[in-house]
């Protein structure tokens, strides 16, 4: 799919001394979109840029949440050889900008009036010190529960809307020999579930206090003990081989009927669509138990490193592409997310995306649009890592909820210093 050259791109290329129609430098892009649905979405961008004679040098580093990609990126930047752009989640955009490694795309952003068409919550992560340093491509919602509709129907089950209902349904499934919950045991996946439980049991205000403000009283509260109790219960509903499993393999278990449910962000929809199943019909999408009315969010940004010359021209071409309404429409339809631009018509998207759009509007109006901890929109990377460590250690041992809460408080306290 070629979206055509924008007048702005041509002006940029010409200004950099390249004849119009000649190829600008390649863009080298570091990212972690390696699952089938993710790669398909990335292709939308590659083809768009190819249509503008901008080549693509791929730098994939597998691993949801981007932990492995971050390690690679750090090594590249330390060696003085940053990529043209890197996929980053919100808090790390901020951290890289703080380090002084990112370039300045304010001129493009001003010319394209980005601030007028993006939600403030997204603008806040894309700008640093009054300058634009990154372009947002999507808004994902991590707090979804995906349900194999046929399994529920055959077993006469109703989708659970609270954690108590979830436990009842899961016990009934287990009794029939069906794995209730598909899960991949990796810290970011454990944390994705943890986010859901904190929000579902504690509510939006508790999530804000405990996770976004890292308030030690909230982190050490009885509610947090209940959260770890529920995490322990969930541990009993996953199969024996969950350890280390990639998220998309867990999604595949729900698609092929090996498991009934998965708690995962809507990048899972990329896999559903690729499997020729219908989101909202074959695989139901409902907010994670207890989280209806709230919306956890994370946005993938392309952050632009400080480059010059024809690399800068290619970088500008990429920035203009990813922010264009045509690109955002085509990309997010495949990726499973919704466009961050508020002026993109998504009436031809699937039912889960339409629900996402309604739900985000409702959550914003109720002050319940909250950054996801698991996906880099709630805490600095050091506090995030500290929480991941405790959550994962608890999930994979017989640690009591009380001990986990005590460790959580200590870990967050020392990571915050
Ligand atoms: C990213 C998604 C990605 C998912 C799994 C999340 O942190 O925001 O774009 O699909 O990780 O790889």
């Amino acid at each position: 799919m070629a979206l055509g050259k924008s007048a702005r791109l041509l002006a940029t290329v010409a200004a950099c001394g390249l004849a119009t129609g000649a190829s600008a430098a390649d863009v080298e892009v570091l990212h972690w979109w390696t699952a089938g649905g993710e790669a398909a979405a990335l292709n939308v961008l590659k083809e768009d840029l190819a249509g503008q004679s901008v080549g693509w040098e791929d730098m994939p580093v597998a691993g949801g949440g981007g932990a492995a990609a971050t390690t690679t990126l750090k090594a590249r930047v330390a060696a003085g050889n940053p990529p043209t752009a890197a996929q980053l989640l919100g808090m790390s955009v901020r951290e890289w900008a703080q380090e002084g490694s990112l370039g300045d795309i304010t001129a493009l952003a001003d010319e394209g009036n980005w601030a007028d068409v993006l939600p403030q919550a997204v603008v806040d992560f894309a700008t640093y010190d009054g300058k634009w340093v990154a372009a947002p491509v999507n808004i994902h919602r991590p707090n979804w529960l995906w349900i194999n509709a046929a399994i529920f129907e055959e077993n006469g089950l109703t989708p659970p809307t609270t954690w108590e209902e979830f436990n009842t349904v899961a016990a009934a499934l287990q009794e029939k020999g069906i794995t209730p919950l598909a899960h991949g045991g990796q810290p970011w996946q454990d944390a994705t579930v943890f986010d859901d439980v904190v929000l579902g049991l504690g509510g939006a205000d508790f999530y804000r206090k405990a996770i976004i403000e890292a308030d030690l009283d909230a982190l050490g509260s009885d509610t947090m003990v209940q959260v770890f109790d529920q995490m322990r219960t969930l541990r009993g509903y996953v199969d024996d081989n969950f350890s280390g499993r990639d998220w998309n393999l867990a999604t595949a278990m729900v698609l092929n009927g090996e498991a009934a449910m998965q708690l995962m962000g809507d990048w899972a929809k990329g896999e559903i669509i690729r499997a020729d199943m219908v989101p909202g019909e074959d695989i139901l999408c409902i907010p994670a138990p207890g989280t209806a009315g709230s919306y956890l969010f994370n946005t993938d940004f392309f952050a632009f490193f400080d480059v010059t010359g024809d690399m800068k021209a290619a970088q500008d071409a990429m920035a203009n592409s990813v922010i264009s309404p045509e690109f955002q429409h085509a990309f997010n339809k495949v990726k499973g997310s919704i466009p961050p631009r508020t002026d993109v018509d998504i009436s031809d998207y699937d039912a889960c995306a339409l629900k996402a759009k309604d739900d985000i509007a409702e959550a914003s109006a109720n002050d319940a649009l909250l950054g996801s901890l698991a996906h880099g929109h709630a805490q600095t990377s050091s506090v995030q890592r500290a929480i991941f460590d405790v959550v994962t250690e608890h999930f994979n041992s017989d640690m009591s909820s009380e001990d986990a809460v005590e460790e959580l408080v200590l870990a967050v306290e020392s990571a915050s210093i």
Side-chain angles (χ1 to χ4, degrees):
M1 192 210 61
L3 299 177
K5 298 174 183 178
S6 75
R8 228 174 298 130
L9 163 67
L10 296 181
T12 310
V13 171
C16 289
L18 296 167
T20 305
S23 76
D26 290 355
V27 284
E28 192 195 3
V29 183
L30 190 144
H31 63 89
W32 66 90
W33 285 332
T34 52
E38 295 175 328
L42 197 61
N43 257 335
V44 176
L45 177 57
K46 286 184 197 169
E47 283 173 19
D48 181 28
L49 290 174
Q52 304 178 45
S53 305
V54 177
W56 182 274
E57 252 183 78
D58 207 29
M59 228 202 140
V61 185
T70 302
T71 308
T72 306
L73 183 59
K74 280 189 180 150
R76 286 285 304 264
V77 175
N81 181 27
T84 326
Q87 176 195 359
L88 290 183
L89 295 169
M91 290 305 262
S92 30
V93 173
R94 217 169 260 176
E95 290 176 356
W96 281 106
Q98 219 161 8
E99 295 247 318
S101 308
L102 300 185
D104 181 357
I105 54 165
T106 309
L108 288 185
D110 284 350
E111 206 189 329
N113 295 319
W114 295 9
D116 296 339
V117 292
L118 294 169
Q120 193 56 41
V122 171
V123 174
D124 287 346
F125 285 111
T127 51
Y128 184 77
D129 223 1
K131 291 187 196 133
W132 286 83
V133 293
V137 292
N138 58 21
I139 297 182
H140 271 305
R141 182 188 205 182
N143 63 310
W144 284 113
L145 178 66
W146 305 95
I147 295 176
N148 180 306
I151 295 184
F152 265 55
E153 206 178 302
E154 277 155 25
N155 293 285
L157 297 171
T158 308
T161 59
T162 63
W163 281 111
E164 209 181 328
E165 285 175 19
F166 180 96
N167 295 342
T168 307
V169 161
L173 286 161
Q174 205 164 44
E175 193 124 306
K176 300 197 171 186
I178 301 165
T179 300
L181 187 64
H183 183 59
Q186 295 170 345
W188 73 270
Q189 294 191 61
D190 299 340
T192 300
V193 174
F194 177 75
D195 273 0
D196 290 345
V197 179
V198 172
L199 182 61
L201 286 179
D205 289 342
F206 180 76
Y207 182 94
R208 186 176 295 107
K209 269 234 149 322
I211 302 297
I212 295 181
E213 294 169 12
D215 178 271
L216 297 181
D217 290 338
L219 288 167
S221 64
D222 289 347
T223 305
M224 202 52 93
V225 173
Q226 286 165 31
V227 167
F228 280 104
D229 286 348
Q230 180 61 34
M231 291 299 286
R232 175 66 64 243
T233 303
L234 290 176
R235 173 70 179 76
Y237 292 140
V238 306
D239 68 320
D240 289 342
N241 301 318
F242 75 100
S243 208
R245 176 187 289 138
D246 287 332
W247 68 269
N248 51 316
L249 300 181
T251 305
M253 290 170 69
V254 179
L255 304 191
N256 65 28
E258 258 178 81
M261 301 179 276
Q262 184 185 20
L263 289 156
M264 188 46 66
D266 39 18
W267 42 90
K269 214 166 39 160
E271 303 302 298
I272 299 172
I273 295 167
R274 268 175 57 87
D276 280 332
M277 297 178 90
V278 181
E281 283 179 30
D282 300 323
I283 303 295
L284 309 178
C285 50
I286 61 167
T291 72
S294 297
Y295 202 103
L296 290 182
F297 83 98
N298 69 286
T299 287
D300 290 301
F301 294 88
F302 280 119
F304 296 106
F305 285 82
D306 203 4
V307 294
T308 51
D310 58 351
M311 271 181 86
K312 173 74 178 142
Q315 191 179 65
D316 286 353
M318 182 173 165
N320 275 329
S321 270
V322 299
I323 208 70
S324 78
E326 297 83 355
F327 169 78
Q328 296 220 340
H329 178 270
F331 174 85
N332 285 287
K333 198 170 184 185
V334 181
K335 184 71 174 68
S337 35
I338 55 173
R341 282 187 77 117
T342 49
D343 57 350
V344 176
D345 178 10
I346 63 160
S347 49
D348 61 337
Y349 275 32
D350 61 80
C352 300
L354 299 181
K355 177 164 173 52
K357 182 100 183 164
D358 287 349
D359 286 1
I360 199 169
E362 184 195 345
S364 311
N366 296 332
D367 206 13
L369 174 63
L370 301 156
S372 150
L373 171 77
H375 298 278
H377 282 71
Q379 271 303 332
T380 58
S381 47
S382 57
V383 171
Q384 185 202 38
R385 252 195 321 272
I387 299 180
F388 276 26
D389 285 351
V390 178
V391 168
T392 289
E393 191 191 347
H394 169 268
F395 201 72
N396 289 290
S397 68
D398 58 4
M399 182 189 270
S400 74
S401 301
E402 287 75 11
D403 287 351
V405 163
E406 208 170 296
E407 270 211 29
L408 186 69
V409 172
L410 289 176
V412 170
E413 204 170 16
S414 63
S416 309
I417 295 168

